[in-house]
Amino acid sequence: MYQWHVLTIGHLSRNKFWGEDEKQSYRMPLCTCTLLQGNGLNILIDPSLPGEEMAEALFNNSGLRPEDIQYTYSTHFHYDHQVDLKTFPNAVCCMPRVDLEELRANFAMISGIWTALTREQADRLVPAEDHLAPGLTMVPLPGHTEGLHGYLFDAPEGRVICTGDSVMTQEFYRAGECYFFGWNMERAIASIRSLRGKADIIVPGHGQAFLEKAYARQD
Ligand SMILES: [Zn+2]
């Protein structure tokens, strides 16, 4: 059982459900970052902000300091879901194995897009499958990237899943639609459908947490 707190409510660079054009960027994206506390552990899913800002969000919502975090879990290799891991000196920093292999194999290209991504950061990551905290379950949700996994856990409110970018926001979940770019769009849509009834609460990649049944596609 974990208590959970959303530390940053994510948003997208563009959101077609607001009438925005997917060919242009309107704002810097920010991912949704969640703190889990339980089983004697403090865990961050998808660290989202540069060092000092992340430390402030953490402290203001929990009284914790970066050195109190024992694990970070990224849902996939995109840089906005693994920002500035050096902020957490004592954390084991984890990423799904397939995405970690992708990150290492294509490091030059990927770090060319996200210039803040250093070799040191990539080297620090370990496969999440080998370092899974008790009470956390990895759920494969391929499509946005090949290796994307959600992290499922039990909380006082019910079952919660942090889906990363397999579900961008509640609007994308309701429509059953994926983001405009990704590894495999068909797989991405199948992954969204696979979430039906899997959890009570969905914490999406770039939006507010929501009740699954309230936003489930009706077909
Ligand atoms: Zn992504």
Side-chain angles (χ1 to χ4, degrees):
M1 178 82 74
Y2 286 99
Q3 305 280 338
W4 59 290
H5 309 271
V6 171
L7 297 187
T8 63
I9 299 171
H11 54 253
L12 290 165
S13 61
R14 64 213 75 189
N15 187 329
K16 67 176 179 177
F17 294 99
W18 304 346
E20 291 179 345
D21 181 354
E22 291 193 322
K23 292 190 196 68
Q24 84 184 73
S25 174
Y26 296 78
R27 61 190 79 80
M28 285 296 291
L30 174 73
C31 85
T32 298
C33 171
T34 310
L35 168 70
L36 273 52
Q37 294 184 276
N39 300 308
L41 296 171
N42 302 309
I43 295 170
L44 281 191
I45 312 256
D46 282 347
S48 59
L49 289 169
E52 277 183 28
E53 290 172 68
M54 191 79 255
E56 199 174 305
L58 177 65
F59 183 69
N60 290 350
N61 287 284
S62 67
L64 296 175
R65 303 290 186 186
E67 50 271 29
D68 299 322
I69 299 296
Q70 289 102 336
Y71 290 96
T72 72
Y73 291 97
S74 298
T75 51
H76 63 298
F77 75 82
H78 291 165
Y79 181 67
D80 55 329
H81 295 258
Q82 46 150 325
V83 177
D84 226 354
L85 297 178
K86 66 180 183 309
T87 308
F88 311 103
N90 302 320
V92 180
C93 297
C94 306
M95 180 176 288
R97 186 188 310 277
V98 168
D99 265 23
L100 182 52
E101 286 169 359
E102 166 88 14
L103 177 65
R104 296 225 166 106
N106 297 305
F107 181 77
M109 191 265 287
I110 293 166
S111 62
I113 301 167
W114 291 297
T115 50
L117 181 59
T118 62
R119 174 64 74 176
E120 192 183 14
Q121 169 147 330
D123 287 347
R124 183 166 169 194
L125 286 157
V126 295
E129 289 86 345
D130 298 343
H131 300 270
L132 204 52
L136 268 193
T137 303
M138 292 178 72
V139 178
L141 296 168
H144 182 70
T145 65
E146 187 177 2
L148 192 153
H149 279 67
Y151 297 96
L152 183 77
F153 57 93
D154 286 321
E157 297 87 346
R159 193 153 273 198
V160 182
I161 185 165
C162 297
T163 64
D165 292 358
S166 57
V167 178
M168 280 300 193
T169 69
Q170 59 201 33
E171 299 118 316
F172 282 81
Y173 190 66
R174 172 168 277 166
E177 290 184 28
C178 61
Y179 208 37
F180 70 97
F181 72 86
W183 167 71
N184 182 315
M185 304 307 220
E186 280 178 24
R187 298 283 297 276
I189 287 166
S191 286
I192 295 169
R193 298 232 161 108
S194 76
L195 282 164
R196 184 72 189 98
K198 266 220 169 70
D200 301 298
I201 294 170
I202 288 180
V203 183
H206 289 265
Q208 310 246 9
F210 60 91
L211 279 177
E212 191 278 334
K213 67 179 180 204
Y215 284 87
R217 192 182 150 102
Q218 303 300 328
D219 61 6

